[in-house]
Amino acid sequence: MDLTVKTLAGGEAGQLSLNEGIFGLEPREDIVARVVRWQLAKRQQGTHQAKGRAEISRTGAKMYKQKGTGRARHSSARAPQFRGGGKAHGPVSRSHEHDLPKKVRALGLKHALSAKAKASNLIIVDDLVAQDAKTKALIANFAGLGLTNALVIGGAELDQNFARAASNIPNIDVLPIQGINVYDIMRRGTLVLSKSAVEALEERFK
């Protein structure tokens, strides 16, 4: 698969041949969905907590005498049916994380990349470098490339001027290649990869 390499200014900078085993797969939604679910579950805090009847600070005295009232035989006022009592089957602090094999995670990333390539939502840029940390100039460059909602992936080290300028633009995310993930790829309309990012991906999946 050959793609035209663009410059930030919108010009052409030659052709780049992409690995079919990474960018040319037939996308499988089920694998991508599994990886996204795994990612979201992993980052869920799980700090939700309600007090059960054992955690309520309330008198332990019997509410009223056992016999002669014509009412039910209640004991503790901490029971869930009473106002101020504990919550029955309430949420407890726990981890939502679950396991996903490394091979499935790697496959999910390949299918996410292939999905962008198949939908013509993949752009290769020769270098992500800005002369100045000026958001206005970068917005003009992105407009020339037709980018309004995009994930931009650079090399191992991001150009600081580029990263600072892009941080103020809504619906534009910028990550180094180490941070590439399925969820961020799928939540943005266009995927922009630098040449160094493509090389790193092909080296990773060699």
Side-chain angles (χ1 to χ4, degrees), residues 92-104:
V92 293
S93 296
R94 65 186 180 91
S95 170
H96 293 268
E97 189 176 344
H98 59 268
D99 289 332
L100 192 66
K102 283 184 179 179
K103 287 184 178 180
V104 177

Side-chain angles (χ1 to χ4, degrees), residues 46-98:
T47 52
H48 40 21
Q49 177 77 43
K51 288 185 178 181
R53 63 185 293 169
E55 299 161 313
I56 291 293
S57 178
R58 202 170 186 189
T59 179
K62 187 171 174 64
M63 296 180 69
Y64 46 78
K65 65 180 184 176
Q66 176 85 347
K67 293 181 176 294
T69 64
R71 301 175 67 186
R73 299 173 292 183
H74 290 302
S75 173
S76 174
R78 301 190 188 108
Q81 65 265 40
F82 299 118
R83 182 173 182 174
K87 177 73 173 175
H89 310 297
V92 293
S93 296
R94 65 186 180 91
S95 170
H96 293 268
E97 189 176 344
H98 59 268

Side-chain angles (χ1 to χ4, degrees), residues 27-48:
R28 279 185 54 182
E29 292 181 6
D30 59 322
I31 293 177
V32 173
R34 279 183 70 186
V35 179
V36 169
R37 179 174 170 269
W38 171 78
Q39 273 188 250
L40 295 181
K42 190 178 176 68
R43 78 181 195 181
Q44 196 168 341
Q45 281 187 317
T47 52
H48 40 21

